[in-house]
Every structure is written in C-alpha cells, then in structure tokens.
Amino acid sequence: MRPSPLPLRKACLVAFFLLAAALTLGASDAFVVPSAPSASVQRPSSTIALTASKSSDKEEKSEKLINDFCQGTNEFWKKLVILPVREFAEVRPGGTAPSDPLAKLTAPPEVPGIPRPVWLTILGSVPTALGWYGWYKFSVEEELYQYELQSEGKVTGCGGYGTLFPFVYGVLIGFPLSLLHVPGGETILNAAALWILAGQVNLYRRVNELTEEVTSELGLEGDGRMLYEWWALLPPPLDVV
C-alpha cells in the first residue's frame, strides 16, 4: 500500500503561505507595532528611547533577513540558467530598447524599467497563450530587484531569476511526476504555484510602495496605491492585467 503524501503536502503548503506573508509584510512596519503609551502614564525618556532602539533593531534584523534570503535565492537560481540566456537577460541601462512595440516585447530588462502599458502586455500575452508573460514577469521582477539594489542597497523581492525559475523548474519536474502518479509530484506543482503567487502578491506591494513615494508626480489621488494585493489571487488573464 503506497504511503499518502498528504502530510508532506500540507507541510509544504503551510511553509509557502508563511513565506508569502513574510515577503508581503517584511519590508513594512507589520513586524513591529509598538503600543502607544497611556495618556495617564508618563514613561521615562530613557525607557522610551530603549523601546525605540529595540524596535529599530528588530526592524533592521527582519529587513536584513529578507534581503539575504532574496539575494541568495536570486543568485542560486541564476547559476542554474545557461550562460547564453543569462547574457541575453542582462540588465541594460534605461532607454536602451528601441521605442517600437515589437522591440519592447523582446527587449532585455532595463533600469529604470521599460514602460509596458496594459495594451502591450495583452498584445504579447494573448497570441502566445500567456507564454510571453513569463518573459514579462521575469523582466519586471529583475528590473525592480536591480533598482532596489542600486538605490537602497537591499531588496525585498527575489528578482527575475529567484521568482520565475523556481516555478519553471517546479512545473518541469512536478508535472511529469504527477502524470506518472509518482508521490511528491503534485506537491511540487502546488509548491511552484504558491511560490509564483507569493511573488506576485509581493510585487504588487512593492509597486505600491514606489507609487506612494511619487504620488504627486504621477498625478495620483489618495495615498497613491495603484494595486490591491488580492488582485494577484484572480485567475488568468485578469491577474495579468
């Protein structure tokens, strides 16, 4: 009688949900929410300073943990990609790509990133049955990763390599194993799907952080947030748009 992979599958699902939460909330203040002192109680200034210092230390540690994890993940999966692909996908300076739409569809990532309006995304995704969207996903993630690295010296996402290729290898390995009813195949597929979903939710959060910083320059209303993280949970092609 074949042992059930259910316990392993459940453990994997729980781990990836925790990872999604960590990546989504890690760069914000969600890890540390200091409680406000009561109006009727005067806390010594030394105590307040110590509390603020501890909170700052925790934030720095959590940010460093996320940065180290994301950079390590990106570098690990980048090494598994053949050299010609890495050379073609090397990030270029902003403005390198030609301005015509077809050239933009195949252009390597740039920093600052290449503007890709919704109609261009649809143009590339629909005829290729979402095949081009994989390149688009890689490019956007890598552009934002390199931008964070250059501007802040730390990152909150795994970049194009660390986001896309765990999903790609997971599908390439998990799908045939699942077809052959090999234990673990379906678990690998589920893990790959959850990984790419966690990356998409995190991407929306990071884009919102960028737009919040330039709300007036972009002419946005309110807090400048352009995306809702839950949009990533919508089925294709709605999540693509």
Side-chain angles (χ1 to χ4, degrees):
M1 184 176 181
R2 188 178 63 184
S4 171
L6 187 57
L8 176 61
R9 187 179 309 162
K10 285 184 176 181
C12 187
L13 293 178
V14 171
F16 271 82
F17 274 123
L18 291 175
L19 174 61
L23 289 176
T24 303
L25 301 176
S28 70
D29 293 329
F31 276 105
V32 179
V33 184
S35 58
S38 171
S40 61
V41 179
Q42 292 290 336
R43 303 178 67 183
S45 58
S46 58
T47 303
I48 296 176
L50 180 60
T51 302
S53 177
K54 289 182 177 179
S55 298
S56 177
D57 289 343
K58 288 182 180 179
E59 289 178 3
E60 290 180 2
K61 289 180 180 179
S62 64
E63 290 176 357
K64 184 179 185 304
L65 180 64
I66 292 172
N67 173 72
D68 292 345
F69 171 80
C70 291
Q71 289 200 40
T73 302
N74 185 278
E75 289 299 321
F76 173 80
W77 291 97
K78 185 176 182 179
K79 293 177 181 178
L80 299 182
V81 178
I82 59 176
L83 182 60
V85 174
R86 295 204 308 266
E87 290 178 344
F88 177 79
E90 193 69 28
V91 176
R92 271 78 164 171
T96 303
S99 58
D100 62 284
L102 291 180
K104 283 186 177 182
L105 289 175
T106 57
E110 296 182 3
V111 176
I114 300 173
R116 302 177 183 88
V118 173
W119 66 264
L120 183 64
T121 305
I122 296 175
L123 178 64
S125 300
V126 174
T128 60
L130 296 180
W132 174 83
Y133 184 73
W135 172 246
Y136 168 75
K137 173 70 174 172
F138 170 86
S139 299
V140 171
E141 290 281 359
E142 192 66 17
E143 286 173 348
L144 186 51
Y145 175 89
Q146 295 296 336
Y147 172 79
E148 287 182 328
L149 198 59
Q150 293 177 20
S151 60
E152 301 179 17
K154 58 186 178 182
V155 297
T156 57
C158 295
Y161 292 100
T163 301
L164 184 65
F165 282 95
F167 171 76
V168 171
Y169 281 104
V171 172
L172 291 177
I173 297 172
F175 184 69
L177 292 180
S178 181
L179 283 180
L180 297 173
H181 303 289
V182 177
E186 188 175 345
T187 300
I188 295 175
L189 275 178
N190 290 337
L194 285 171
W195 178 263
I196 200 71
L197 178 61
Q200 191 73 357
V201 172
N202 189 45
L203 175 64
Y204 286 6
R205 178 195 62 77
R206 293 154 72 203
V207 170
N208 280 335
E209 286 186 350
L210 290 177
T211 56
E212 286 172 359
E213 294 174 359
V214 290
T215 300
S216 58
E217 289 88 337
L218 296 177
L220 301 175
E221 297 180 355
D223 59 6
R225 293 169 60 87
M226 298 179 63
L227 303 169
Y228 295 99
E229 283 82 355
W230 61 266
W231 284 358
L233 305 177
L234 296 174
L238 296 178
D239 63 333
V240 173
V241 178

